Amino acid sequence: MPVSAVDCVQPALQHTKEQLFTPFRWGQWSRLALVGILAAEMHVGGCNFGSFNGNWPRVPHKNQSEFLPSGMAWDLSSFNPARIPAHISEHIGQFLGLIVVGIFVLIVLAFVLLYINSVFRFILFDSVLRRHCSIGEGWEKWRRAGGRFFLWQIVFQIAFSLFLVVLVGVPLALAFAAGWMTDLQQHVARLVVGVVLLLGLLLVFVLAAVVVQFLARDFLVPIMALENLDFADGWHRLLDMVRPEKGRFALYLLMKLVLSIAAAILFSIIAIVPALLVVTPAVVAVVAGKAAGLGWSVTTISLAIIFGTVLLLVLIYLIALVCVPATVFFPAYAIHFLAARYPNLDALLHPAPPLPASPSITEPPPPFEPPPPPPSPEPIG
């Protein structure tokens, strides 16, 4: 039975091969791609479809008015709303309305996606464990457990935000109270030391948060699923496993980091193909629209947002399709590592072979018949 993180790599690779390629099933592959998206298990990094760090033309400070429309200059002290062109001012209210509606939709969508992500973490675990993916059946089976994990994710996000505010806000408040920010020249050395310490604390804090997230996704979910626990009891159960094997769990996290980086590089290269299939037609459409004289208005911006969103969704799904092996491998890696120290999971991962069937009796034995009596002696005479 594999015990260390290194020993679990080969069984996880074999698990992935058996689930995806023996035999290959397109239906399962396509469903796993969707599960990978919603469970945030794609392992693609470095995708950059555009850059905001280009070499923008620099406007000379003295001749800036030559490059701006009449009445618009960089000097904000002379700004006069009445001098804004009419074709711009008449749409400001509509643009502001779109911004407010967009912010509200994004907030609601973030909570909805977080809940969906929580349920699909269980669906992904169950799909890899049973080597069969069924989204509808999985949703009905795991939506309550996903709701409990959703509460954990909200608690974690709130705690993370509060700790981050305290970690950054308290040093800044102390620096302002000490007068370091009002007279920078006299406190340069102290500010440099303070910034270095603050960045070190932030790095430690972010690493701790990442470790907690890894443990929750890889180990808390299986424990909550198999024992029907809430997240508090699940963490208590998980920490009881971690304490006697801190080194092995640390090695697991390090191995997963290395494997994740390797997978991100590999699948990012592979994802270039679907990216080109989607981005190229979009660029052609934009160029054609500009050549046709289309300008930016509320209608064209709305259409651009709609079609851009559709293209983005198509691109994400195509990338998820090529990342299905990573989507299966990493949960399988966590399952094999945890099963070595969690009997409930090991019993499902390595079920006992069925007992040989006893030979069936097709015909009943013939009834017992007593032997025939001996012939009676013939009479004499």
Side-chain angles (χ1 to χ4, degrees):
M1 179 183 299
V3 176
S4 71
V6 178
D7 295 333
C8 295
V9 174
Q10 184 60 36
L13 288 172
Q14 184 64 27
H15 188 123
T16 304
K17 178 182 177 181
E18 292 176 356
Q19 180 166 357
L20 296 180
F21 300 104
T22 53
F24 175 81
R25 292 167 289 176
W26 170 249
Q28 178 177 229
W29 192 289
S30 59
R31 290 191 296 270
L32 283 170
L34 180 58
V35 172
I37 295 172
L38 298 177
E41 192 73 45
M42 290 175 59
H43 292 274
V44 175
C47 294
N48 186 14
F49 304 112
S51 177
F52 297 95
N53 297 321
N55 294 322
W56 298 98
R58 297 183 180 273
V59 180
H61 204 59
K62 295 181 180 180
N63 300 324
Q64 59 182 336
S65 59
E66 299 177 4
F67 301 92
L68 296 174
S70 176
M72 296 183 66
W74 291 106
D75 187 6
L76 297 179
S77 62
S78 61
F79 175 74
N80 185 2
R83 300 172 66 181
I84 300 177
H87 70 280
I88 295 178
S89 60
E90 66 183 4
H91 296 301
I92 289 180
Q94 295 176 334
F95 287 142
L96 292 177
L98 284 175
I99 292 173
V100 172
V101 172
I103 293 174
F104 176 77
V105 170
L106 287 176
I107 293 174
V108 174
L109 186 62
F111 279 96
V112 172
L113 291 178
L114 187 63
Y115 174 74
I116 294 175
N117 171 264
S118 302
V119 179
F120 271 81
R121 289 305 309 179
F122 288 86
I123 296 176
L124 178 60
F125 162 72
D126 188 51
S127 300
V128 175
L129 179 63
R130 296 192 300 121
R131 295 176 171 84
H132 175 72
C133 180
S134 177
I135 296 178
E137 177 186 346
W139 182 270
E140 290 297 324
K141 182 179 180 180
W142 298 113
R143 57 187 178 87
R144 292 185 179 179
R148 295 192 291 268
F149 192 68
F150 172 65
L151 294 178
W152 149 250
Q153 298 217 69
I154 292 179
V155 170
F156 176 79
Q157 295 293 338
I158 294 175
F160 178 83
S161 302
L162 290 178
F163 277 111
L164 188 61
V165 169
V166 172
L167 187 61
V168 176
V170 170
L172 289 178
L174 293 176
F176 274 107
W180 294 3
M181 309 300 294
T182 56
D183 193 357
L184 297 178
Q185 293 181 352
Q186 295 184 1
H187 303 285
V188 172
R190 296 177 181 178
L191 286 173
V192 171
V193 174
V195 170
V196 171
L197 291 177
L198 181 59
L199 291 178
L201 289 175
L202 281 175
L203 179 61
V204 173
F205 175 70
V206 171
L207 288 177
V210 171
V211 168
V212 171
Q213 281 286 69
F214 276 174
L215 292 176
R217 289 154 56 98
D218 292 354
F219 304 135
L220 180 62
V221 166
I223 292 173
M224 292 177 62
L226 298 184
E227 299 189 31
N228 196 26
L229 300 176
D230 58 23
F231 67 85
D233 293 334
W235 271 113
H236 185 270
R237 185 84 170 84
L238 175 58
L239 293 177
D240 288 341
M241 298 181 189
V242 174
R243 287 190 190 98
E245 296 188 83
K246 297 183 182 70
R248 293 186 182 275
F249 277 88
L251 179 60
Y252 168 84
L253 294 173
L254 181 60
M255 280 292 301
K256 180 163 185 179
L257 176 62
V258 173
L259 293 172
S260 297
I261 294 174
I265 295 173
L266 173 63
F267 288 100
S268 295
I269 296 173
I270 299 175
I272 293 176
V273 176
L276 291 176
L277 293 176
V278 174
V279 173
T280 302
V283 172
V284 172
V286 172
V287 173
K290 287 185 177 181
L294 294 178
W296 291 113
S297 63
V298 174
T299 302
T300 55
I301 290 176
S302 300
L303 290 175
I305 292 174
I306 293 172
F307 286 108
T309 302
V310 172
L311 289 177
L312 179 62
L313 294 177
V314 172
L315 175 60
I316 292 174
Y317 185 72
L318 291 178
I319 293 176
L321 281 175
V322 302
C323 295
V324 165
T327 300
V328 174
F329 169 78
F330 284 97
Y333 181 57
I335 287 173
H336 281 270
F337 180 81
L338 183 62
R341 46 199 46 86
Y342 188 27
N344 292 358
L345 180 58
D346 184 65
L348 297 175
L349 184 63
H350 305 102
L355 296 175
S358 58
S360 58
I361 300 176
T362 57
E363 296 181 2
F368 176 75
E369 296 182 359
S376 57
E378 295 181 359
I380 301 174

